[in-house]
Every structure is written in C-alpha cells, then in structure tokens.
Amino acid sequence: MSKIVEQQIEKSMQLIEGMKKNIQVLEKHGVKVDVLENMRLQLGELGEANKECEALHVKLSERIKHMNSLLKEAKDSYIAQKMIVKTNYPQEQWICFGVSDKK
C-alpha cells in the first residue's frame, strides 16, 4: 500500500474511533455516527482501490521491461541490417536501401 494512502487511512481511523468514543459530547456539534461509519466505508474502498493500483503498477512495470527488451532487439536488428548496406555499398546508394545516414 502506498505510504500516503496508508497514513491517511491510519489517521482517519484514529479520528473515527476517537470521535465514536466521545459521540455524546460531539453530537451537539453536528457529528453523527452514520457520517463516521460512512467515512470508515470510504476508507475501506480507498484501501481496495490502492491495492488495485499497486497490482496494476506491478503489471505495468513487467510490461515495460518486456517492451524495453523488444525495443533493444529491434534496435540491434536494425543496426545489424544497416551495417550490411553501409559496409557493402557506397554512401550514395545507401538511400536506395532505406539507410538515411550521412556517414
């Protein structure tokens, strides 16, 4: 769980518990048990959403590593094929083979 989300959940839960223990005193200020319960439910949803995001982050990280591996392979193949043209034909003919290098 992300540290920011974890801290917010922890602080909010402490507030909810503290306010519930003193609900008689706080009711005159408009604090209601159902509002505190709603807050608690929201925190549960926040925790679940955070878990989902963390899982997606892990999956994205794996996909990025895979993509970078494919990119390296593509670049290596490109360089190898380009070198065939550059080492066997004069520079004036490179463009005919799709090599736009100047040197």
Side-chain angles (χ1 to χ4, degrees):
M1 184 175 296
S2 91
K3 193 68 172 169
I4 293 171
V5 172
E6 184 179 322
Q7 288 174 342
Q8 186 61 52
I9 290 172
E10 185 178 315
K11 289 190 309 185
S12 295
M13 290 302 290
Q14 287 175 354
L15 178 70
I16 292 166
E17 292 306 314
M19 293 183 101
K20 278 185 175 181
K21 288 177 185 174
N22 296 288
I23 196 68
Q24 293 83 10
V25 176
L26 295 170
E27 282 179 330
K28 64 182 173 189
H29 298 289
V31 177
K32 305 247 188 260
V33 174
D34 58 331
V35 172
L36 297 175
E37 267 310 302
N38 189 43
M39 275 181 67
R40 191 184 59 73
L41 293 173
Q42 288 173 339
L43 293 173
E45 289 178 29
L46 174 60
E48 287 302 313
N50 189 64
K51 286 178 188 175
E52 290 174 18
C53 287
E54 292 289 327
L56 289 171
H57 186 307
V58 168
K59 189 171 185 173
L60 177 61
S61 180
E62 291 169 358
R63 296 301 299 162
I64 288 172
K65 286 177 187 174
H66 178 67
M67 182 206 54
N68 285 338
S69 173
L70 293 173
L71 177 60
K72 183 183 179 325
E73 289 176 23
K75 283 182 176 182
D76 291 348
S77 294
Y78 171 81
I79 291 169
Q81 298 308 306
K82 183 172 72 169
M83 288 309 295
I84 292 170
V85 172
K86 290 177 84 170
T87 57
N88 290 297
Y89 296 94
Q91 183 178 353
E92 302 80 40
Q93 293 180 351
W94 291 356
I95 195 71
C96 297
F97 298 98
V99 177
S100 60
D101 293 1
K102 303 289 183 200
K103 293 185 180 186

